[in-house]
Amino acid sequence: MPRALKRPRIAISAGEPAGIGPDIVLAAAGKDWNADLVVIADRDMLERRAAELGLRVSLPGYEPQHPQDSEPVEREPGASLQVLHCPLSVSVNPGVGDARNASGVLAALQRATEGCESGEFSAMVTAPVNKAVIADSGVPFSGHTEFLAELTGTSKVVMLLAARDLRVALATTHIPLAEVPRAVASAPLGEIIQILHSDLQTRFGFAEPRIAVLGLNPHAGENGYLGREDIDIIGPAIHEANARGMNVTGPWPADTAFNSRLRQETDAYLAMYHDQGLPVLKFASFGAAVNITLGLPILRTSVDHGTAFDLAASGGADSGSFFAALEMAIELSRKR
């Protein structure tokens, strides 16, 4: 793991250029951050989007620095963001994705990852991408999480969403609901719990993390009458984790696991699938949740929403989740 910089330097990918990614990134220019921000994107695209939004933003070029050079970068007066230019193939029509620009989107992610691995950047924050647009370009792409795992040579990563004191990790991510039982049966639940436990210690500072694992079936299987996955797969993984000294409980019925008592006794939940745990978190804090990829050798945070093509360049995009992701990246960088 690269040595932490004294002053965080955060790489930002602007995501799908036809979506709201550029809008929420540009919004960060008007706020003072206790870190140096570097946007990796097409500068011309950002300038056009700023003009469309009626924003006066200075976009000076980023000069690559030595990884251990952590002196604050002197900002230009007014709203400004450093930009590491990463060109797109064709001009952008807000609201209309173009597969020809997918290579530029992925190149920005690769450059941010390389910078984090070398220590040039403390962390990366990603604006949303559109999976369908990238897939239409001929590149198999199931999401940021899997793409970054492949770039860094990481065999197993875990998606965690966090909002204030509520944290929900996922055993499976973006797969059809019909495939969830088979995926849970083949998922290395013990390894997933270990990654969650380890990152709660090293990134979040919990000395003895408390993890609550949700069952797969209604009522956690009702003693096998509603499915045996909770008895045959999830339960043994929990017992194994406890035998290794981890504080892991469950499997808990998902419909009651988020009650106030258990929440006070839990540092993170592990849900079996995407729409089991995340609706609760997003209901409690939509627009303020942060996506964090656990298990990577680098620190990556992201927004909890999609590209919202219909809001691109309209001025109606909410930058709350992006600001929360930036703040989380800065905070966790300092804890390292």
Side-chain angles (χ1 to χ4, degrees), residues 225-245:
Y225 287 102
L226 297 178
R228 293 202 51 90
E229 291 89 352
D230 304 279
I231 295 174
D232 297 338
I233 299 166
I234 302 173
I238 293 171
H239 294 319
E240 177 189 353
N242 289 329
R244 296 169 62 185

Side-chain angles (χ1 to χ4, degrees), residues 3-8 34 67-71 122 334:
R3 193 173 80 189
L5 299 174
K6 292 181 181 179
R7 177 180 171 85
N34 194 17
Q68 300 312 320
D69 176 12
S70 57
E71 291 301 316
S122 307
R334 293 189 177 282

Side-chain angles (χ1 to χ4, degrees), residues 265-282:
E265 301 171 355
T266 300
D267 298 313
Y269 290 87
L270 176 61
M272 291 300 105
Y273 56 96
H274 187 280
D275 283 10
Q276 181 184 57
L278 297 193
V280 176
L281 182 139
K282 293 190 177 186

Side-chain angles (χ1 to χ4, degrees), residues 92-151:
V92 174
N93 182 9
V96 182
D98 193 320
R100 290 173 293 179
N101 281 329
S103 59
V105 171
L106 297 180
L109 290 174
Q110 184 167 350
R111 176 62 178 87
T113 302
E114 291 170 352
C116 288
E117 288 183 307
S118 71
E120 179 185 4
F121 302 123
S122 307
M124 63 187 293
V125 179
T126 56
V129 296
N130 188 281
K131 301 179 185 66
V133 173
I134 295 176
D136 286 344
S137 74
V139 177
F141 186 87
S142 57
H144 272 114
T145 302
E146 297 79 6
F147 183 75
L148 295 177
E150 183 176 354
L151 280 181

Side-chain angles (χ1 to χ4, degrees), residues 184-208:
V184 169
S186 60
L189 287 181
E191 183 181 2
I192 292 170
I193 293 171
Q194 176 62 62
I195 291 172
L196 176 57
H197 181 271
S198 177
D199 275 27
L200 285 171
Q201 287 182 318
T202 59
R203 296 202 187 279
F204 290 86
F206 292 105
E208 297 181 2

Side-chain angles (χ1 to χ4, degrees), residues 1 145 149 152-160 167-171 187-206 209-211 213 237 240-241 244 246 248 268-270 292-298:
M1 180 179 294
T145 302
T152 58
T154 306
S155 60
K156 184 63 185 175
V157 293
V158 176
M159 180 186 293
L160 173 78
R167 303 170 192 86
V168 179
L170 302 178
L189 287 181
E191 183 181 2
I192 292 170
I193 293 171
Q194 176 62 62
I195 291 172
L196 176 57
H197 181 271
S198 177
D199 275 27
L200 285 171
Q201 287 182 318
T202 59
R203 296 202 187 279
F204 290 86
F206 292 105
R210 301 166 299 176
I211 299 171
V213 179
E240 177 189 353
R244 296 169 62 185
M246 290 178 265
V248 183
Y269 290 87
L270 176 61
I292 307 160
T293 306
L294 307 183
L296 292 173
I298 63 174

